[in-house]
Amino acid sequence: FFFFQAEDGIRDVERSRGLGDVYKRQGINAEYMGYKSSRMDLPINTSEEAVFMAKVAEQAERYEDMLAFLKPILKKSGELIMEERNLVSVAYKNISGNKRTAWRALTAIDENPKYTKHHDKTNSYKVKIEEELKKICKDAIAAIDSNLLNNASTAESKVFYLKMKADYNRYMGEVCTGTELEEVSQNALKNYEDAKKAASTLPPTDPVRLGLALNFSVFQYEIRKNPKEACSMAKTAFDEAISGLQDLDEDKYKDSTAIMQLLKDNLTLWTSELGEGEEAEAKAQILTLRKTFNSVSYTHL
């Protein structure tokens, strides 16, 4: 079994979760060819057409087509509206998520002694998936750097793009080693720190700020191998948000409490990595979090 960090989503097995795994990870059959779909050639003339066809591709679970339809949106001069931004995020998340899941499965097979005689083939296949994952991550980062971040006019949108950039550096860190790992790790750390500074003007209950704290803490745990800092970061975000939940409207309340649940789940999982004294203290803190969270969660529903 894999242990999924609560990083981007829904727990598949016993791994902590965050905001990226929450998107479906679907198999994509087409060869990735520079994000130009090899299965159709449909000219997109307006942003309205791009958004509509991206939604159609999403419903069909053809995420490479979805990204291809959205390419004109990525190049427009003004800031993306929230709907456009979310579609772009969903497309990149599903393409990269599929490859991350494939890489984890191949790693488990490659490391299984039962399949030693097939090691050369399985390892070559794993390397192929690694290169595909790096390619989609670099494409997402390039899109952010070339246009999206520069056009961001609000703190919320700047945090969104800086966090997104950090996440894709982190995803590369999952499959990199040596100096390449150190480079993407440092890039991710800087992006997360920049996003954290930009998020200081957002309320602690803001879903984007909470999502940043969630994924930053997963980065500390998974890539930096620092469970103590990961726990501290997750607990601080939870504590700062808990008192303001009652003031949120229903939609934001649902989003914020869902992320807070992931923070709490991760804290429960991560305490096993701490020293004996630290673990006892962390477990006591988690018990307090549960009592506090259970007393306020979902009272709006």
Side-chain angles (χ1 to χ4, degrees), residues 108-118:
I109 294 169
D110 193 42
E111 294 175 353
N112 192 323
K114 288 168 44 177
Y115 308 120
T116 300
K117 68 178 182 179
H118 301 294

Side-chain angles (χ1 to χ4, degrees), residues 33 60 62 79 114 159 171 179 241 244 299:
M33 299 293 290
R62 293 171 68 97
E79 183 172 12
K114 288 168 44 177
V159 173
Y171 299 160
T179 55
T299 55

Side-chain angles (χ1 to χ4, degrees), residues 176-223:
C176 291
T177 58
T179 55
E180 190 177 13
L181 170 59
E182 182 59 27
E183 180 182 356
V184 296
S185 176
Q186 287 298 326
N187 289 341
L189 179 62
K190 182 181 186 306
N191 299 150
Y192 280 129
E193 291 286 5
D194 289 345
K196 186 177 179 180
K197 290 177 184 176
S200 62
T201 59
L202 300 177
T205 52
D206 185 271
V208 173
R209 176 169 168 170
L210 282 169
L212 168 63
L214 174 65
N215 286 16
F216 197 175
S217 64
V218 169
F219 168 75
Q220 292 289 354
Y221 183 87
E222 277 202 334
I223 306 300

Side-chain angles (χ1 to χ4, degrees), residues 249-251 253-254 257 296-301:
D249 61 42
E250 185 171 326
D251 287 340
Y253 185 87
K254 289 178 180 178
T257 52
V296 299
S297 288
Y298 310 113
T299 55
H300 286 44
L301 307 182

